[in-house]
Amino acid sequence: MNKQVSLKTKISALVITLIVSIVLILSGVFAYWEKRETEEKMGQLALQAATTISFMPAIQKAFDREDPSEVIQPIALSVQKQVGAEFVVVGNEQSVRYAHPDAWKIGKRMVGGDNDRALKNGEYYISKAEGTLGPSLRGKAPIIDENGEIIGIVSVGFLIEDINSAIWSKLMDIAGISVGTLLLGMMGSFALAKSIRKDTMGLEPFQISSLYRDREAILSSIKEGIISIDEDGHVSMINQSAMKLLDIDEDTTQKPIKEVFPNTELMRVLETGAPEMDQEMRLKDRVVIVNRTPIMAEGRVVGVVASFRDKTEVREMVNALSEVKRYSEDLRAQTHEYTNKMHVLLGLLQLQNYEEACSLIESEFVMTQSQNRILFDQIEDDTVQAILLGKLSKASEKKVEFSIDDESSIQSIPAHINRSKLVTILGNVIDNAFEAPKNQVDKQVTFFATDVGNELVFEVKDNGPGISEKMIPYLFVRGFSTKEGEHRGFGLANVNEIVEELGGTIELSGSENEGTIFSIFIPKEKGEVS
């Protein structure tokens, strides 16, 4: 037997995993942003310091001295200390140092290979390179004399190692916050699991689902009808036997009990809290025995459950036997028909009459082949083909005989007729035709289309009850519908608007009990009046 994982473990694992994932993602994003922002900030600081030094008159004049480092070195060290840089280096046009944090390196050439842009092109820029102190982020600025000549370069740098240390310090602060968030999430998950367990009376989800399955199986197997209501008098549960006894074939949960079981006395028990046992009452044409028991919770009535059984069990037995007999006869008839067809086919094959055997098999597909011939040979437009293929499948599901007129023929749909508009027009009209004969035993819908002449003509005919003349003016009014249900009355209104926009017209013919024919005329040429 597999060990089930507890709800507490599931919630805790989910919450912790979620928090850890979010923390890691946010930390990664923050680290990236922080690194980029810190490098950009330090780079700008280095560039600003280098630029400031390069514009100092004292620095520029020092280049005329016999020993420029006597003036430049103190200034460079002072600026280095003020901005917190790792180094401030000043060199001449040959990159020979006049200032360096390590005095013994003065007079030697600058390293890194990133001075050309400043010395040759006079650019101010930020670069990364490895110098004598290690990899660093540097701000470079040329020193230009009064004549506009480049006479030297200033390089202010921060070590990459120091920048990473600053970033890591900030990440450690974030890590502390993340750990705190994780701990809060864990405590929250435990509290949530505890609250849910309290609501489920200490049962785990798999136990609840098992109880639910058992309950459904028990209620379905009980011969007696069982129905319960909540404290508001709405149906909270009803089993199949009760639905059968009450002749209910739809979901009645959350409906008022008086609508489902008009002459019940469940509301009286809900008010009094007193159980009523073995009460006899008439239910339609049946006499039933009813037991009504209040449902108690924390000392108050929160609902009532009733069980009732039919006294005339013999009648139920006779009805059951009758149902079995009818079902058996239906099966026998189906089996007989199938067996006859198989015997005929087997006989034809044994007689080597293969042609007639094939004819028998192919007879089942004659209608389909006929429709496909019209659909693919006479109707050449892909959009119309796709619409009709879909509607043929839908008609099969709705048990509607949907046929395409043999005379239908379309070569192509003009370019100005948008494909989506065509789908709206044909889709809505055909769907309405499918619903029209829903109460007919033989449901039939016929489609006709042609592009002969100056117009596209679509015609859909059904064998439904038809439409009275007084209803015709309202058919294309938005929101008006002859069908029950919400969100009705928009399909034909949309069709009418699109047809009018295309310069076409819609004609409606037929009368009550004779079906309906929708005829749609759309000009082939844009702007042509139909």
Side-chain angles (χ1 to χ4, degrees):
M1 180 177 179
N2 294 331
K3 185 177 180 180
Q4 299 286 348
V5 180
S6 67
L7 178 64
K8 181 178 180 181
T9 303
K10 288 182 178 179
I11 293 178
S12 300
L14 177 62
V15 172
I16 293 172
T17 301
L18 182 61
I19 293 176
V20 169
S21 299
I22 292 174
V23 167
L24 290 176
I25 292 172
L26 291 180
S27 297
V29 173
F30 176 81
Y32 171 75
W33 286 347
E34 184 65 27
K35 184 175 185 299
R36 187 175 65 177
E37 182 179 349
T38 301
E39 288 185 354
E40 183 178 352
K41 180 179 178 181
M42 301 302 286
Q44 289 297 329
L45 178 60
L47 181 59
Q48 289 174 4
T51 302
T52 301
I53 294 172
S54 70
F55 280 103
M56 288 182 177
I59 296 293
Q60 295 176 0
K61 290 179 180 180
F63 275 75
D64 295 330
R65 296 172 61 90
E66 182 178 347
D67 186 6
S69 62
E70 289 181 354
V71 175
I72 297 175
Q73 175 73 350
I75 296 175
L77 292 175
S78 176
V79 173
Q80 176 181 331
K81 182 177 180 180
Q82 290 177 8
V83 301
E86 185 65 27
F87 62 83
V88 173
V89 178
V90 179
N92 62 14
E93 66 272 21
Q94 285 84 32
S95 295
V96 175
R97 299 187 186 101
Y98 287 161
H100 193 278
D102 297 329
W104 61 272
K105 295 181 180 178
I106 294 175
K108 297 182 180 181
R109 291 182 61 85
M110 299 168 66
V111 297
D114 56 346
N115 290 347
D116 289 347
R117 291 171 58 188
L119 293 174
K120 294 182 179 180
N121 303 324
E123 295 183 31
Y124 297 82
Y125 57 94
I126 299 170
S127 68
K128 285 184 180 180
E130 183 169 353
T132 57
L133 299 178
S136 59
L137 185 67
R138 309 171 173 195
K140 299 284 185 174
I143 301 173
I144 303 174
D145 62 12
E146 295 178 353
N147 300 320
E149 298 292 333
I150 298 174
I151 60 176
I153 184 171
V154 180
S155 178
V156 179
F158 295 88
L159 290 181
I160 299 296
E161 180 181 353
D162 294 340
I163 296 175
N164 292 338
S165 296
I167 296 172
W168 180 253
S169 177
K170 293 183 180 180
L171 289 180
M172 291 304 294
D173 294 337
I174 294 298
I177 297 174
S178 300
V179 171
T181 303
L182 180 59
L183 292 175
L184 288 175
M186 292 175 64
M187 291 187 291
S189 66
F190 293 147
L192 176 61
K194 184 177 179 180
S195 175
I196 293 176
R197 280 181 62 84
K198 181 180 178 180
D199 293 339
T200 59
M201 303 177 67
L203 296 175
E204 296 292 342
F206 65 89
Q207 293 174 314
I208 296 174
S209 62
S210 177
L211 287 174
Y212 179 78
R213 289 192 299 268
D214 294 344
R215 172 198 159 202
E216 291 297 307
I218 292 170
L219 291 175
S220 298
S221 64
I222 293 176
K223 187 176 180 181
E224 292 185 345
I226 299 178
I227 187 170
S228 65
I229 61 172
D230 57 24
E231 55 187 335
D232 296 323
H234 295 148
V235 176
S236 58
M237 184 275 299
I238 183 170
N239 71 344
Q240 294 295 325
S241 298
M243 294 179 67
K244 183 177 179 181
L245 289 170
L246 295 171
D247 291 331
I248 298 172
D249 57 1
E250 60 181 7
D251 185 16
T252 58
T253 54
Q254 300 306 314
K255 287 187 176 181
I257 186 62
K258 292 182 180 179
E259 294 182 10
V260 180
F261 199 166
N263 57 337
T264 184
E265 300 295 339
L266 289 175
M267 295 301 297
R268 183 175 63 202
V269 178
L270 187 63
E271 294 173 0
T272 64
E276 299 178 356
M277 311 303 292
D278 297 327
Q279 301 290 314
E280 186 173 303
M281 65 177 294
R282 178 168 291 277
L283 178 61
K284 297 185 179 179
D285 60 343
R286 297 183 177 94
V287 177
V288 297
I289 302 298
V290 183
N291 295 321
R292 308 180 186 93
T293 306
I295 303 172
M296 309 297 293
E298 299 179 354
R300 65 187 186 91
V301 181
V302 295
V304 180
V305 61
S307 63
F308 46 97
R309 62 185 183 275
D310 194 349
K311 289 182 66 175
T312 57
E313 293 183 356
V314 175
R315 182 186 305 172
E316 289 294 326
M317 185 179 298
V318 171
N319 290 339
L321 290 174
S322 177
E323 290 293 329
V324 171
K325 182 179 179 181
R326 183 160 56 249
Y327 181 67
S328 177
E329 289 176 351
D330 290 342
L331 288 177
R332 187 182 299 111
Q334 292 179 6
T335 302
H336 182 69
E337 181 181 1
Y338 177 74
T339 302
N340 285 340
K341 289 182 179 180
M342 292 301 296
H343 283 163
V344 171
L345 182 59
L346 180 61
L348 291 172
L349 293 175
Q350 289 176 338
L351 294 172
Q352 297 184 357
N353 194 343
Y354 302 123
E355 183 176 351
E356 191 169 347
C358 291
S359 177
L360 178 62
I361 296 173
E362 291 174 358
S363 63
E364 298 294 329
F365 303 98
V366 169
M367 181 60 69
T368 302
Q369 290 175 339
S370 175
Q371 295 294 330
N372 287 344
R373 177 184 56 80
I374 300 171
L375 184 61
F376 294 109
D377 294 344
Q378 298 175 210
I379 297 178
E380 301 178 16
D381 184 77
D382 294 341
T383 302
V384 179
Q385 287 178 352
I387 294 171
L388 295 179
L389 280 173
K391 297 307 177 185
L392 284 169
S393 299
K394 186 173 183 179
S396 177
E397 294 177 3
K398 289 181 170 290
K399 308 301 181 186
V400 175
E401 183 183 339
F402 182 44
S403 58
I404 304 173
D405 193 283
D406 293 345
E407 300 299 322
S408 296
S409 175
I410 289 183
Q411 293 183 354
S412 63
I413 299 297
H416 76 278
I417 301 178
N418 187 280
R419 302 299 175 181
S420 61
K421 293 180 180 180
L422 188 63
V423 171
T424 300
I425 294 171
L426 297 183
N428 280 287
V429 174
I430 295 175
D431 284 344
N432 279 354
F434 285 169
E435 294 184 17
K438 62 180 181 180
N439 295 323
Q440 303 288 347
V441 176
D442 183 19
K443 306 176 183 64
Q444 296 181 358
V445 174
T446 303
F447 174 83
F448 170 76
T450 182
D451 58 355
V452 176
N454 297 324
E455 296 176 318
L456 288 175
V457 180
F458 300 105
E459 186 175 277
V460 180
K461 177 181 179 182
D462 64 69
N463 67 334
I467 301 175
S468 61
E469 291 186 4
K470 64 180 182 179
M471 301 294 288
I472 293 178
Y474 303 99
L475 283 180
F476 302 110
V477 176
R478 186 172 295 277
F480 175 81
S481 177
T482 59
K483 307 178 183 68
E484 296 180 356
E486 299 181 354
H487 309 297
R488 294 279 193 173
F490 297 97
L492 290 181
N494 291 336
V495 171
N496 188 50
E497 289 178 3
I498 293 174
V499 172
E500 288 183 350
E501 180 184 337
L502 296 173
T505 57
I506 301 177
E507 293 183 3
L508 186 63
S509 59
S511 58
E512 291 189 72
N513 301 320
E514 293 184 2
T516 306
I517 302 176
F518 272 89
S519 300
I520 300 172
F521 304 89
I522 303 175
K524 287 181 173 183
E525 298 294 333
K526 187 175 182 180
E528 181 179 333
V529 179
S530 175

